[in-house]
Amino acid sequence: MNEQIKDLDMFEVGTCDQCGKNTSVYYRPHAGQSFCSRCLTKSIERIINKTVSKYNMLSPDDKIIVGLSGGKDSIVLLYNLMKIQKKVYDAKPLIALSIDEGINGYRTQSIKSARKFCQRFGIRHEIHSFKEKVGKTLDELLNLKKSDIDFRYPCNYCALIRRRLLNDIAIELGGTVLALGHNLTDIAETFLMNILFKRFPLIAQQSPFDESVKSNTYYLKKIRPLMKLPEEEISIYIKSKKLDYYSDKCPYRKQFPILRKKVLNFIVNLKETSPETEFNLFNGFIELSEILRKEYKDINPNFCSLCGYPTSNYDICSYCQLVQEIK
Ligand code: SF4
Ligand SMILES: [Zn+2]
Ligand SMILES: [Zn+2]
């Protein structure tokens, strides 16, 4: 973690380059500029607004469903979307959607932070769980699967179910857009992971320009308004705004030597000598995803014989396969 975010009050590097008045609290290495807390906050909000308009993420009549875990990214996302929507005449109210995977001692706490935030700002908050939707908590599911020869990292099962539930429940709630709190660091990390595993169709699907990211019969349009903000800036922003959030990490992420974690450490280390690393990866992702999108656009997917969703499998999609196994 960047040293700068450990203690915001202690960090002083001179005068803010933006206003020339206040003491700086953050140095943005890739831009070579320092910021006071006020100017950094303004700059971050400007970046979010610009990202939303550059990638045509929202239209005035959208019904936005915001994925809310209670962690810093999703809280910052919801807070900013709320501000953006306030400027839109007659905007439909946002709905925050939390998925409780059933991770003992962790998710209950983060959902508490999510609930507190929604109560404070009067936002409708929907909470749905793995238990309610697929019959088992993630903890129970892992207990069941861990003796299997093909047992995978907990995140594989977790992400597969959560992605589907977020999408389906957001559609049930009448959403037209599903907003997710992925930041620049997440995007860079995911891109590198997809390259390492040669998951080119996935890269193509994630392009912000891809037609398939617009809502269709199966999937709601997904937007990532924080995708140009490095994780450390979001940490500073949330502290300067004094917004409560849940800061602990998922025990499964701590416990398992996930490759993703190694990839993240690699990026963090590289950033020390090349601060533009994440931006280069982001730009690479945008360019490559556009090339791959054109490459894959004429390939017709198969459809799952159980749920009807598009799938690269021949018969049953991975989600239905897993749900069948645990039932
Ligand atoms: S770290 Fe992995 S197991 Fe934990 S909530 Fe995230 S995806 Fe699920
Ligand atoms: Zn300033
Ligand atoms: Zn299916």
Side-chain angles (χ1 to χ4, degrees):
M1 183 181 282
N2 190 317
E3 284 299 312
Q4 295 191 34
I5 63 179
K6 285 191 179 157
D7 194 338
L8 187 55
D9 299 330
M10 299 280 292
F11 188 81
E12 293 188 7
V13 290
T15 308
C16 170
D17 287 333
Q18 315 303 307
C19 63
K21 287 187 280 189
N22 303 328
T23 305
S24 65
V25 294
Y26 176 69
Y27 179 69
R28 187 177 272 166
H30 57 270
Q33 293 170 333
S34 54
F35 292 80
C36 69
S37 174
R38 201 163 159 266
C39 292
L40 182 67
T41 300
K42 271 207 252 166
S43 163
I44 287 175
E45 289 177 355
R46 209 175 306 125
I47 291 170
I48 296 173
N49 280 292
K50 268 188 169 176
T51 306
V52 167
S53 63
K54 177 170 179 188
Y55 294 94
N56 293 320
M57 289 183 172
L58 294 172
S59 57
D61 55 350
D62 268 327
K63 172 100 187 156
I64 311 170
I65 313 293
V66 185
L68 183 69
S69 66
K72 65 178 181 330
D73 299 319
S74 62
I75 294 272
V76 168
L77 172 70
L78 181 53
Y79 179 73
N80 276 278
L81 286 179
M82 205 177 69
K83 282 171 57 149
I84 290 172
Q85 272 223 315
K86 274 206 177 124
K87 294 181 202 151
V88 180
Y89 171 72
D90 215 16
K92 299 188 178 77
L94 294 159
I95 301 177
L97 171 58
S98 298
I99 302 291
D100 181 356
E101 299 91 347
I103 303 171
N104 194 23
Y106 167 68
R107 189 53 87 208
T108 324
Q109 296 306 317
S110 81
I111 288 182
K112 254 189 211 166
S113 302
R115 193 183 302 124
K116 232 169 101 187
F117 182 89
C118 291
Q119 279 167 352
R120 178 175 166 196
F121 291 100
I123 297 165
R124 177 174 162 197
H125 186 205
E126 289 278 331
I127 307 168
H128 294 270
S129 66
F130 278 23
K131 183 84 175 175
E132 157 207 347
K133 297 288 180 186
V134 299
K136 295 247 179 314
T137 63
L138 182 67
D139 291 341
E140 289 169 345
L141 186 160
L142 294 173
N143 268 335
L144 207 75
K145 297 281 294 173
K146 71 181 169 205
S147 52
D148 279 14
I149 196 139
D150 66 339
F151 178 76
R152 284 176 255 152
Y153 292 128
C155 298
N156 289 27
Y157 304 106
C158 181
L160 179 64
I161 299 178
R162 195 185 46 234
R163 265 200 308 264
R164 177 64 74 91
L165 295 189
L166 273 172
N167 182 71
D168 288 1
I169 299 167
I171 292 174
E172 280 165 29
L173 291 169
T176 57
V177 166
L178 175 61
L180 300 170
H182 299 133
N183 60 44
L184 178 69
T185 312
D186 299 324
I187 304 276
E189 183 189 303
T190 302
F191 178 55
L192 209 49
M193 286 283 292
N194 287 338
I195 293 282
L196 290 174
F197 286 91
K198 203 173 157 285
R199 296 176 188 141
F200 294 154
L202 260 185
I203 297 174
Q205 279 168 25
Q206 288 161 356
S207 162
F209 300 111
D210 185 1
E211 287 302 306
S212 71
V213 298
K214 298 199 169 64
S215 297
N216 58 36
T217 322
Y218 307 100
Y219 295 110
L220 215 53
K221 172 181 173 178
K222 291 183 190 60
I223 60 166
R224 296 171 175 84
L226 307 186
M227 68 182 185
K228 289 204 167 170
L229 290 168
E231 183 170 2
E232 60 270 21
E233 296 200 12
I234 295 174
S235 297
I236 297 178
Y237 178 87
I238 201 160
K239 284 180 187 172
S240 31
K241 284 283 175 187
K242 298 192 170 39
L243 297 170
D244 285 336
Y245 67 101
Y246 186 66
S247 59
D248 208 357
K249 295 261 181 263
C250 170
Y252 291 118
R253 183 147 173 131
K254 289 183 204 161
Q255 193 180 326
F256 285 84
I258 320 170
L259 182 64
R260 191 172 262 279
K261 206 158 74 182
K262 293 186 183 165
V263 168
L264 176 64
N265 289 343
F266 170 73
I267 294 174
V268 170
N269 286 338
L270 214 60
K271 267 171 72 176
E272 283 175 15
T273 43
S274 308
E276 68 290 353
T277 298
E278 288 168 322
F279 287 93
N280 287 344
L281 282 166
F282 177 82
N283 292 332
F285 160 65
I286 296 289
E287 273 184 44
L288 188 63
S289 61
E290 184 58 6
I291 294 168
L292 291 173
R293 181 179 76 82
K294 288 178 185 151
E295 184 69 28
Y296 287 105
K297 87 174 173 348
D298 297 326
I299 299 177
N300 292 324
N302 299 319
F303 292 92
C304 172
S305 59
L306 290 179
C307 67
Y309 274 63
T311 173
S312 51
N313 298 351
Y314 286 110
D315 183 19
I316 298 173
C317 74
S318 312
Y319 171 79
C320 288
Q321 225 167 2
L322 180 60
V323 171
Q324 270 196 332
E325 281 169 29
I326 59 181
K327 278 184 175 161

